Every structure is written in C-alpha cells, then in structure tokens.
Amino acid sequence: YFVIFSPDGRQIASSGADKVIRVWDAQTGRPIHTLEGHTNTVRCCAYSPDGARIVSGSDDKTLRLWDTFSGLPIGEPMTGHTFYVGSVAFSPDDRSCIVVSTSGDTTIRFWNGHTGEAVGEPLGRNTHCFAFSPDGSRIASGGWYNNLNNVLMWDAHTRTRIGNPLEGPTRWVESVSFSPDGAFLYSASHDGTIHCRDSSSGKPVGHPLTGYPRYSGHTREISSLAVSPDGRRLVTGSSDDSIRIWNTQ
C-alpha cells in the first residue's frame, strides 16, 4: 500500500493491508523489523528527519510511533481522528518534532513526535492532502473550503491560517507540493489541472499546466504530484493510467 526510503537511504519501510509495517535493508532486501500493533490496513508511514522514528497511519483511525532501531512501539496509539488516517509526515525541522496527519474525516491534526500526544485542536475541514514547506515553517493543505476548491496555507508552529484561500481549480485539490527552495507551491486537482503559485504571495504563476478537455495532458483527474529535487520538473499520476513529466521553466 505504501513504501518510503529512510532519510539516509539505508532502509525501506512498507505498509499495507496485512496491518503491519515492515522495515527492510535497502541494499540486501532482507527484513529488519516487523512493526505490529495496528488492527486494520496501514495506509501510510513516514520517517523522522533523523531516521530514528517511524510514524504510521491506519484504517483503525490511529497513528503509531515506532523506534526504528528496536522495532518497538513508542507510547500508546495516537487517537483523535474519526475515520481512516490517509497521510502522515514529520516536520522537516527535526527540532520541533511535529507530526501532522490527515484523515478521511477531512481534518488536519498535529502531534508531538516524541510522545505521541495531540497538539492543539484539529485544523480545517474538508482537507484532502497537505505538504510541509522545506524549512518546516509552513503547511499547505488542499481540498475544498466554504464550497470552493482551494489550497490553504498554515503556520506550522502556531497552527494559524496564513492569508486567504488560494482558489483556481474547479474541483477539489488532490495533491500539493512545494518546490525544493520553498519559493513555489504546486497543486493538482480532480479537474485535471496543475496550478503553480508564489508560495509567499499566493499569486498564480503562469497558466494551469494541464486540464481536460481543453488542454493536452491527462484525460482524467490527477491524483498525485511531486517535484524533482532540482525543481525543474514535475511528475503527475492520473486515473487515466498515465504518468506525465512536466518542465517547470
């Protein structure tokens, strides 16, 4: 269901419908740990920036923290979401050790990455996806808000909204990602469009890169988006069974 490399590239963590997270040696492919505790499908997992911890999210509505060296759980399950946990991430700023999660209940929740305790109240409603800025200071969330399809920007430390909703798509936002330098924010939508914005001002940069049926590109909704490490390309995945690569310049 989900796979991810550790920050140093030495491990791979995978999760799925068997309710466990498996940690593998990336060089040999040999299993290192099996992390057991969830009671339903594990949809997602993420490493802390130092690689010492893994956070996982499950259809059992909980998150769990794990020690990557011992393979043992850290604390109790993290409860609060009322539906499946669809995405999880540690802040890139390891000093804050913030964990963020989104769920089928359409909220964003914050957690202490050391203890697993909830931090503050859940944010927003109708949230489908999120991304940290490279420095960990901001979070962009995508979905729909006040019956509009848009992106919201949040201060990661104060958990307060920054500015107004960033509108543009005609259907809900499926994926968001910052450029590596944090200057631009990209979003992909269920209407098949990709929007680029200045991440500070929120103003659009150029025209949408694609969209059906007016533009060449994907012919159905875009479900995922990622930016290359040098920021020069985007890759998108769609329900039209294709992956496309785009130049950002």
Side-chain angles (χ1 to χ4, degrees):
Y1 212 107
F2 193 89
V3 292
I4 190 169
F5 275 100
S6 63
D8 63 7
R10 295 181 179 180
Q11 294 181 355
I12 294 170
S14 63
S15 65
D18 58 2
K19 308 175 188 177
V20 301
I21 303 99
R22 301 181 190 275
V23 180
W24 311 84
D25 185 300
Q27 295 296 321
T28 66
R30 293 177 180 173
I32 300 172
H33 297 301
T34 300
L35 313 181
E36 300 179 283
H38 285 294
T39 60
N40 208 328
T41 296
V42 183
R43 286 181 177 253
C44 51
C45 56
Y47 279 90
S48 60
D50 62 2
R53 296 174 301 283
I54 288 173
V55 63
S56 55
S58 169
D59 281 10
D60 65 13
K61 308 175 189 175
T62 71
L63 292 79
R64 296 195 71 124
L65 286 171
W66 310 88
D67 184 294
T68 58
F69 300 107
S70 67
L72 297 175
I74 300 171
E76 297 298 315
M78 301 149 69
T79 60
H81 283 300
T82 59
F83 204 13
Y84 67 84
V85 180
S87 57
V88 293
F90 278 90
S91 168
D93 176 12
D94 195 38
R95 295 171 297 176
S96 61
C97 201
I98 296 171
V99 170
V100 174
S101 60
T102 58
S103 163
D105 65 15
T106 74
T107 64
I108 307 172
R109 286 184 178 265
F110 288 71
W111 315 84
N112 184 306
H114 291 299
T115 66
E117 295 178 351
V119 178
E121 295 298 316
L123 294 184
R125 289 290 185 270
N126 303 326
T127 299
H128 186 76
C129 55
F130 77 95
F132 273 103
S133 62
D135 64 0
S137 66
R138 294 172 295 166
I139 293 171
S141 65
W144 61 103
Y145 178 75
N146 283 349
N147 296 318
L148 296 173
N149 306 287
N150 49 41
V151 174
L152 301 178
M153 196 77 76
W154 308 86
D155 185 298
H157 301 294
T158 64
R159 300 179 298 283
T160 55
R161 207 174 82 194
I162 302 171
N164 296 317
L166 309 180
E167 300 173 10
T170 59
R171 302 189 73 183
W172 65 87
V173 177
E174 293 270 9
S175 184
V176 290
S177 183
F178 283 89
S179 61
D181 61 4
F184 301 104
L185 176 65
Y186 298 93
S187 63
S189 170
H190 202 75
D191 64 5
T193 62
I194 304 165
H195 290 259
C196 177
R197 299 175 177 86
D198 182 294
S199 68
S200 296
S201 67
K203 293 181 178 179
V205 178
H207 297 287
L209 297 183
T210 183
Y212 65 89
R214 290 185 299 159
Y215 305 105
S216 61
H218 289 296
T219 58
R220 295 189 63 186
E221 60 270 16
I222 300 173
S223 56
S224 58
L225 173 150
V227 186
S228 64
D230 61 9
R232 295 182 178 180
R233 293 186 178 185
L234 301 177
V235 61
T236 53
S238 168
S239 297
D240 65 9
D241 298 326
S242 73
I243 296 171
R244 291 183 178 270
I245 298 174
W246 310 86
N247 289 319
T248 62
Q249 298 176 339

